[in-house]
Amino acid sequence: MSKTMNNPNKVKAKLIVEVEGEFYDDESSEETLRYCVEQDLEDAGLNVIDVSVMK
């Protein structure tokens, strides 16, 4: 059996992404957007280490 079948390749990368979202309440903030992005990435099956907001 091939070595790659027994041991998956792990890839770690730091990504800088500009995201804009629309929320229909007065309580939403950059933290709300950060949380939503993190949840979407995890729902896509990614192992998220950190999502932070840069101002």
Side-chain angles (χ1 to χ4, degrees):
M1 196 172 256
S2 146
K3 184 177 181 177
T4 57
M5 294 297 288
N6 294 327
N7 299 315
N9 257 352
K10 290 188 177 185
V11 177
K12 182 177 178 180
K14 181 182 267 189
L15 305 173
I16 298 174
V17 180
E18 187 171 331
V19 178
E20 182 176 272
E22 291 183 14
F23 299 95
Y24 297 97
D25 60 48
D26 294 335
E27 302 297 318
S28 298
S29 66
E30 292 163 338
E31 182 64 21
T32 304
L33 186 56
R34 185 207 62 78
Y35 175 80
C36 291
V37 168
E38 182 175 23
Q39 292 303 305
D40 286 348
L41 292 172
E42 288 176 350
D43 290 348
L46 297 172
N47 180 18
V48 178
I49 297 168
D50 179 49
V51 176
S52 57
V53 176
M54 297 171 57
K55 294 185 180 199

